[in-house]
Amino acid sequence: MKRRKNILATLTLIAALSFAAMPVFAAESENTDSLEVTITSEDGQEVSKIYDLFDLSTTVEDENGIMPLINISADTLENGYTMTFRDSDGSDFYIAGGSTVKFTVKLKSSAHVVMGYKDSNGNETQTYDGTARTNTTSISIPNTGRYSFYLTNVSDSTLNITGGSITF
């Protein structure tokens, strides 16, 4: 019985020392400034998105997971000119067909603007033509693909953009 207790005590000590001596590895990214998220759809299609960890205000979470939110900064737009909105890396946004995009542009004062989207082939679809301080359009994306969004100043003077957003 005493021998059995000694063996049990020795085995317990060895196990404790082995566990305490186990190295601990932490996953460390080469680039700690960003986070890449890959989402796989039911049909197996993968979509990756890189988020800047220093600019987390550009993401919000809904009941379906992370969803992009693009903040439109204050700017000016001369009459007759068009401003195009793309992802932070300069590429068009990858958006699933059937998604609804809400595109809002706020101005210092009411002005006549046209808003819409362009598909990856450059085809423009106008979804808004109006005069207001806050201009909003909801866009139903017809097909999965890459899209950019545009604002055209059709007023007689320069627009003072105070903000806005694109959510989907």
Side-chain angles (χ1 to χ4, degrees), residues 39-47 94 96-97 144:
I39 300 170
T40 305
S41 66
E42 291 176 1
D43 63 358
Q45 187 174 16
E46 289 188 350
V47 177
Y94 185 82
T144 299

Side-chain angles (χ1 to χ4, degrees), residues 40-109:
T40 305
S41 66
E42 291 176 1
D43 63 358
Q45 187 174 16
E46 289 188 350
V47 177
S48 292
K49 176 76 177 166
I50 297 175
Y51 294 95
D52 182 352
L53 295 178
F54 295 107
D55 190 15
L56 290 179
S57 65
T58 61
T59 62
V60 294
E61 191 171 323
D62 71 355
E63 67 277 1
N64 299 316
I66 296 175
M67 127 180 182
L69 167 64
I70 292 68
N71 293 317
I72 297 172
S73 301
D75 207 342
T76 59
L77 183 62
E78 292 183 38
N79 61 317
Y81 282 80
T82 298
M83 184 178 287
T84 301
F85 300 93
R86 292 187 169 87
D87 207 347
S88 59
D89 65 0
S91 66
D92 291 348
F93 299 102
Y94 185 82
I95 306 174
S99 297
T100 299
V101 175
K102 184 177 177 185
F103 179 19
T104 300
V105 176
K106 296 179 181 180
L107 307 173
K108 186 174 181 179
S109 59

Side-chain angles (χ1 to χ4, degrees), residues 114-125:
V114 171
M115 300 162 62
Y117 66 91
K118 296 178 190 177
D119 65 19
S120 58
N121 296 320
N123 299 317
E124 287 187 10
T125 302

